[in-house]
Amino acid sequence: MTGTERPSLVEQCRDNGWRITGQRRVILDVIEKTDDHPDVEELHRRIRGIDPGVNIATVYRTLNKLADENLIERHMFDDGRLRYEPAPDAHHDHFIDVETGEVIEFVSEDIERMQDEIARKHGFEIVSHKLEIYVKRRP
Amino acid sequence: MTGTERPSLVEQCRDNGWRITGQRRVILDVIEKTDDHPDVEELHRRIRGIDPGVNIATVYRTLNKLADENLIERHMFDDGRLRYEPAPDAHHDHFIDVETGEVIEFVSEDIERMQDEIARKHGFEIVSHKLEIYVKRRP
DNA sequence: TTTGCAAGTGCGAATCATTTGCAACAAAGA
DNA sequence: TCTTTGTTGCAAATGATTCGCACTTGCAAA
Ligand SMILES: [Mn+2]
Ligand SMILES: [Mn+2]
Ligand SMILES: [Zn+2]
Ligand SMILES: [Zn+2]
């Protein structure tokens, strides 16, 4: 018994009433294969590897639309460029290795819980949050 | 018995061998009076209130120099503009009220501790981190 | 299948925050 | 006071992202 699979990005976009163009097919394909946190230029590079005709403005527009509908997740780490990943099944936060630039995901139920607690203590309700831990490999 | 006071920014800059110009005097003064998290434009506005002749390029250059020496702290919240605050006595993290834009500081020893723990578990040493919690006032 | 048309695209120009080159200026030590 | 450099103002450059617009195309209705 495998769990119910999430519909493909193409299907989700169709459900949203978007037109499935050749460009979008390629862009969505590349995003679905993504297992890291590429910036727009890198995504465009991967997309051009399949269809060299896709303009970067189209990539930007499509990423924005997808992020607006929470079909992908947008990040901005300290290098100042937008990075993207497919919408994760469950929330996670990130280590960023300052020496290699590598991004590593982690989950800490404990930290999540304490955030709720401290927010409540201040009379707040959490809308979203971002925990980025910049790290070095321990010698 | 009052604790030892931190030398003024002007003194710290002089210690670093920087020339204390009229512009810097004003910029450092404004920063020292800062108890919020203004962006460059807002800082420039406050500075111009004292000396209208200070150019915004000078403000940018001075802020960069100060941040390089850790005499002030630089942030980039989700609005995409750099914000600054005087170097805090002790580390803290931030709530950002998504409805008002207000930035509220908080400290959680527990969260800090759990970050150390999870980093260690992954074989990392923490260089720095950023925890931003976007919140709404609880109804 | 064809057609109509709003949504989508390519391309170059515009934006916007931030940085930089350079000539003129002015701290600060001698 | 003189000299040496670090600083400044200004305007132009940057770099990532967005936008305007004419052209194209997906796709629903005929
Ligand atoms: Mn991730
Ligand atoms: Mn703060
Ligand atoms: Zn989290
Ligand atoms: Zn912290």
Side-chain angles (χ1 to χ4, degrees):
Chain A
M1 42 145 81
T2 75
T4 309
E5 296 183 22
R6 194 192 345 220
S8 74
L9 273 181
V10 168
E11 288 174 276
Q12 294 184 71
C13 290
R14 214 194 302 275
D15 290 348
N16 280 12
W18 304 358
R19 292 188 181 171
I20 308 305
T21 66
Q23 290 91 330
R24 282 187 179 167
R25 242 178 253 286
V26 178
I27 294 170
L28 298 175
D29 243 44
V30 166
I31 292 172
E32 231 149 20
K33 285 193 185 54
T34 297
D35 62 350
D36 52 354
H37 301 76
D39 62 19
V40 181
E41 202 184 333
E42 170 59 22
L43 278 170
H44 187 218
R45 187 174 304 122
R46 296 179 193 178
I47 289 159
R48 278 190 337 236
I50 300 174
D51 177 350
V54 180
N55 193 278
I56 195 162
T58 300
V59 176
Y60 272 108
R61 278 189 282 237
T62 305
L63 291 171
N64 282 338
K65 256 182 106 96
L66 290 165
D68 286 349
E69 302 294 334
N70 298 308
L71 300 180
I72 61 177
E73 209 164 89
R74 191 203 323 259
H75 303 289
M76 169 120 141
F77 302 139
D78 274 2
D79 64 356
R81 271 170 284 129
L82 295 172
R83 295 172 173 277
Y84 293 87
E85 66 176 317
D89 295 319
H91 167 79
H92 60 256
D93 291 292
H94 300 92
F95 292 119
I96 296 100
D97 187 318
V98 296
E99 287 172 339
T100 66
E102 196 189 355
V103 176
I104 301 96
E105 306 183 337
F106 72 88
V107 177
S108 165
E109 303 298 350
D110 290 333
I111 291 178
E112 300 294 323
R113 201 178 358 266
M114 316 233 76
Q115 290 181 42
D116 281 337
E117 191 179 307
I118 196 159
R120 183 156 13 89
K121 235 185 286 185
H122 283 257
F124 291 130
E125 179 185 318
I126 296 183
V127 174
S128 68
H129 72 269
K130 168 195 298 187
L131 173 56
E132 293 161 19
I133 308 187
Y134 295 84
V135 296
K136 283 204 294 229
R137 292 229 116 84
R138 196 131 39 104
Chain B
M1 47 152 68
T2 76
T4 309
E5 297 183 21
R6 193 191 347 218
S8 74
L9 273 180
V10 167
E11 288 174 276
Q12 294 185 71
C13 290
R14 215 194 303 275
D15 290 348
N16 281 11
W18 304 359
R19 291 188 183 171
I20 308 303
T21 66
Q23 291 91 329
R24 281 186 180 166
R25 243 179 252 286
V26 178
I27 293 170
L28 299 175
D29 244 43
V30 166
I31 291 172
E32 231 149 22
K33 285 193 185 52
T34 296
D35 63 349
D36 51 355
H37 301 76
D39 62 20
V40 181
E41 201 185 333
E42 170 59 22
L43 278 169
H44 187 219
R45 186 172 304 122
R46 296 179 192 178
I47 289 158
R48 278 192 336 236
I50 300 174
D51 178 348
V54 181
N55 193 278
I56 195 160
T58 300
V59 177
Y60 272 109
R61 277 189 282 237
T62 305
L63 291 171
N64 281 337
K65 258 184 105 108
L66 290 165
D68 286 349
E69 302 294 334
N70 297 310
L71 300 180
I72 60 177
E73 209 163 89
R74 194 204 320 259
H75 302 290
M76 169 118 142
F77 301 138
D78 274 1
D79 65 355
R81 270 168 286 130
L82 296 172
R83 295 172 173 277
Y84 293 88
E85 65 176 318
D89 295 319
H91 167 78
H92 62 255
D93 292 292
H94 299 92
F95 291 118
I96 297 100
D97 187 318
V98 295
E99 287 172 338
T100 66
E102 197 189 356
V103 176
I104 300 97
E105 305 183 337
F106 72 88
V107 177
S108 166
E109 304 299 350
D110 290 333
I111 291 178
E112 301 294 324
R113 199 176 3 261
M114 319 212 89
Q115 290 181 45
D116 280 339
E117 192 180 305
I118 196 159
R120 183 155 15 87
K121 236 184 286 185
H122 283 255
F124 291 128
E125 180 184 319
I126 296 183
V127 175
S128 69
H129 73 270
K130 168 194 297 186
L131 173 57
E132 294 161 19
I133 308 187
Y134 295 84
V135 296
K136 282 204 294 229
R137 291 230 118 83
R138 196 132 38 104

